[in-house]
Amino acid sequence: MKVLIAYSTKYGTTTTCIKRLEKALQGMEVHTVCLEREQPNVRDYDIVLLGGSIYFGRFRPALRQFLKEQHSLLMEKPLGLFWCCGRTEDHEYYGEKHFPKSLRDHAFAHIFFGGTLRIPKSSWIDRFLLHSMRSAILESEINDGEYTPTLPTILLESIDMMATYVREAARRL
Ligand SMILES: Cc1cc2nc3c(=O)[nH]c(=O)nc-3n(C[C@H](O)[C@H](O)[C@H](O)COP(=O)(O)O)c2cc1C
């Protein structure tokens, strides 16, 4: 039983999620591929898990391209979909908008893994945007009368739930 985890990331939050997922899938034959570096052959796997993080309201180009090019093959495989983002209040919108309905209907799981607003060391423009996103959370909580801003975080229980669904899907094969 071969499981492919194919994902896209820029600063590694999704990679952290995938490490947790790999641990939760211990005992299964799991092959993890970062789409920014490699293009896996979906045909080689029994189960496919696919996802990535949101930038400027969209998935990164590698994942968008993979979704487009591999759509028909993905429809033939037991499929789990996941995504990460920093604006957690928008996660449902992203999850619905960016995975085609056909794939969502076909998938055995469609799960938000959370996200972070960790400030990267590199690009100043990304640092600026992340600081703005953090401030927006603070502002909205002050306006709501709350003064303990809650930054987004990785949702460990959602990642573990994906692992449970994968094991169930494997039993059905
Ligand atoms: C330049 C930039 C743009 C971003 N745009 C969005 C966005 O439009 N919506 C959102 O919810 N999160 C946005 N984020 C937050 C990322 O989705 C979040 O930090 C995520 O955890 C990154 O995952 P990764 O490190 O795996 O790429 C943005 C982050 C950066 C740096």
Side-chain angles (χ1 to χ4, degrees):
M1 183 74 50
K2 286 178 78 178
V3 179
L4 169 69
I5 306 177
Y7 74 101
S8 158
T9 183
K10 186 166 184 185
Y11 290 119
T13 301
T14 314
T15 314
T16 306
C17 298
I18 298 310
K19 286 193 176 136
R20 168 84 180 200
L21 183 58
E22 285 172 334
K23 255 196 192 151
L25 290 174
Q26 245 166 22
M28 300 185 84
E29 192 182 344
V30 176
H31 183 205
T32 301
V33 170
C34 176
L35 293 171
E36 272 83 16
R37 283 190 230 121
E38 207 186 313
Q39 291 296 301
N41 188 346
V42 172
R43 282 180 220 278
D44 295 342
Y45 300 90
D46 303 300
I47 295 177
V48 177
L49 308 180
L50 179 65
S53 52
I54 297 286
Y55 284 80
F56 302 108
R58 313 203 287 170
F59 287 134
R60 287 170 47 75
L63 178 55
R64 295 207 305 269
Q65 193 183 336
F66 193 78
L67 280 164
K68 211 174 187 182
E69 288 175 2
Q70 305 294 322
H71 181 274
S72 45
L73 264 181
L74 292 169
M75 289 295 288
E76 290 172 16
K77 300 283 175 180
L79 180 68
L81 301 170
F82 59 86
W83 67 105
C84 291
C85 72
R87 267 195 217 114
T88 48
E89 67 276 21
D90 293 339
H91 81 268
E92 276 179 30
Y93 168 78
Y94 293 138
E96 290 209 352
K97 179 145 191 260
H98 298 308
F99 289 114
K101 184 171 183 326
S102 48
L103 287 185
R104 281 188 278 124
D105 289 347
H106 166 68
F108 60 76
H110 177 244
I111 302 180
F112 174 51
F113 280 180
T116 65
L117 291 176
R118 267 199 307 254
I119 311 288
K121 288 199 180 87
S122 53
S123 153
W124 68 267
I125 189 152
D126 286 6
R127 291 166 67 86
F128 171 77
L129 281 161
L130 281 163
H131 276 295
S132 313
M133 287 169 78
R134 284 186 178 196
S135 305
I137 292 175
L138 177 65
E139 287 297 324
S140 79
E141 297 217 355
I142 288 173
N143 289 337
D144 290 347
E146 294 173 23
Y147 299 95
T148 45
T150 32
L151 286 174
T153 183
I154 291 173
L155 303 173
L156 300 178
E157 63 283 8
S158 301
I159 299 171
D160 292 346
M161 199 192 300
M162 175 65 91
T164 304
Y165 287 135
V166 173
R167 289 185 190 281
E168 282 174 12
R171 275 197 289 276
R172 287 195 293 272
L173 283 175

